[in-house]
Amino acid sequence: MRFDVITLFPELFAPFLSHGINRRAFESGLVDVRLWQLRDFAEGNYRRVDDRPFGGGPGMVMLADPLYRCWQAIRAERNEAEPAPTVLFSPLGQRLAHPVVTGFASGQGAILVCGRYEGIDQRFIDACVDAQLSLGDFVLSGGEIPAMALLDAVARLQPGVLNDAGSHQQDSFNPALDGLLDCPHYTRPEVWHGPQGEVAVPEVLLSGNHARIEAYRRQQRLHTTAQWRPDVLQQVRAAGGLTRQDEAALRAAGA
């Protein structure tokens, strides 16, 4: 799959694409990321990409013309029978969630538009943007961080990227876990000498009894989801993802 990123700061992506376990996806081409410097498509001596907003007000607005020329160049190079979607990162957008990521992870890729300043000329959005995505109900200085978040989430779902092929199946929100949050994890030493004294690993995890371990982890996923994301628990319940045993465990825990 191929992702074309329209940005004023392509240099921000260099360390992201070359470090960490997900670099396997980028270096191998499983996730082909191409960066497009928007100023290369601006005109004039100053390569201007923004101007003051009509109607007054603070900030600057990104010009439609450089964005459109860059977008056209990407479309021409991709030359797809069915064009990939164009995505703008914006506080107005749908929140980036696991189902959205899995959709991109199994698709052809996308053109990612990283906005800056006060916003983008609405005429470009109306003409070229298919979807808007947001990381949450807050405002960032630009779309580069959300773009990297999407690329990171997509890359780790590609075959051969993670050391354990089934690792992402245990992730929070994964359908393999009915959409629940992940459970707590422990490693060596078996007894940790922390600020509150000795803390041992839960005995069940050392038992070697895989059925008991899985039952324990399921219970912990339920408790964690109820504690930290009750909204997610309600979604799982509404989708029929909770068994009678699950409901009994939640009642016993006072959740």
Side-chain angles (χ1 to χ4, degrees), residues 50-96:
D50 64 329
D51 208 334
R52 291 184 294 274
F54 283 124
M60 304 291 279
V61 177
M62 295 181 73
L63 299 166
D65 279 342
L67 285 163
Y68 184 59
R69 284 191 288 268
C70 183
W71 183 84
Q72 283 184 307
I74 295 171
R75 283 282 191 230
E77 187 174 292
R78 291 182 72 113
N79 191 28
E80 296 164 315
E82 174 145 356
T86 298
V87 178
L88 171 66
F89 297 102
S90 161
L92 280 63
Q94 172 189 5
R95 184 172 295 185
L96 184 59

Side-chain angles (χ1 to χ4, degrees), residues 42-195:
E43 297 178 336
N45 293 334
Y46 296 102
R47 298 288 183 181
R48 190 165 189 173
V49 297
D50 64 329
D51 208 334
R52 291 184 294 274
F54 283 124
M60 304 291 279
V61 177
M62 295 181 73
L63 299 166
D65 279 342
L67 285 163
Y68 184 59
R69 284 191 288 268
C70 183
W71 183 84
Q72 283 184 307
I74 295 171
R75 283 282 191 230
E77 187 174 292
R78 291 182 72 113
N79 191 28
E80 296 164 315
E82 174 145 356
T86 298
V87 178
L88 171 66
F89 297 102
S90 161
L92 280 63
Q94 172 189 5
R95 184 172 295 185
L96 184 59
H98 186 74
V100 178
V101 171
T102 55
F104 280 108
S106 59
Q108 67 191 114
I111 299 173
L112 307 181
V113 182
C114 300
R116 282 270 160 177
Y117 312 126
E118 191 67 23
I120 287 178
D121 192 308
Q122 186 64 38
R123 292 168 293 185
F124 172 79
I125 298 174
D126 293 340
C128 303
V129 171
D130 300 300
Q132 299 190 52
L133 291 177
S134 170
L135 290 187
D137 297 338
F138 55 92
V139 178
L140 295 166
S141 298
E144 286 77 13
I145 291 175
M148 285 185 265
L150 174 61
L151 292 170
D152 185 275
V154 167
R156 69 189 309 279
L157 296 181
Q158 301 309 305
V161 172
L162 301 181
N163 288 324
D164 186 334
S167 180
H168 67 79
Q169 297 294 329
Q170 303 301 313
D171 287 344
S172 296
F173 310 112
N174 197 293
L177 301 181
D178 293 318
L180 296 169
L181 300 187
D182 198 3
C183 60
H185 297 278
Y186 302 87
T187 188
R188 292 176 177 82
E190 292 183 16
V191 177
W192 180 58
H193 299 275

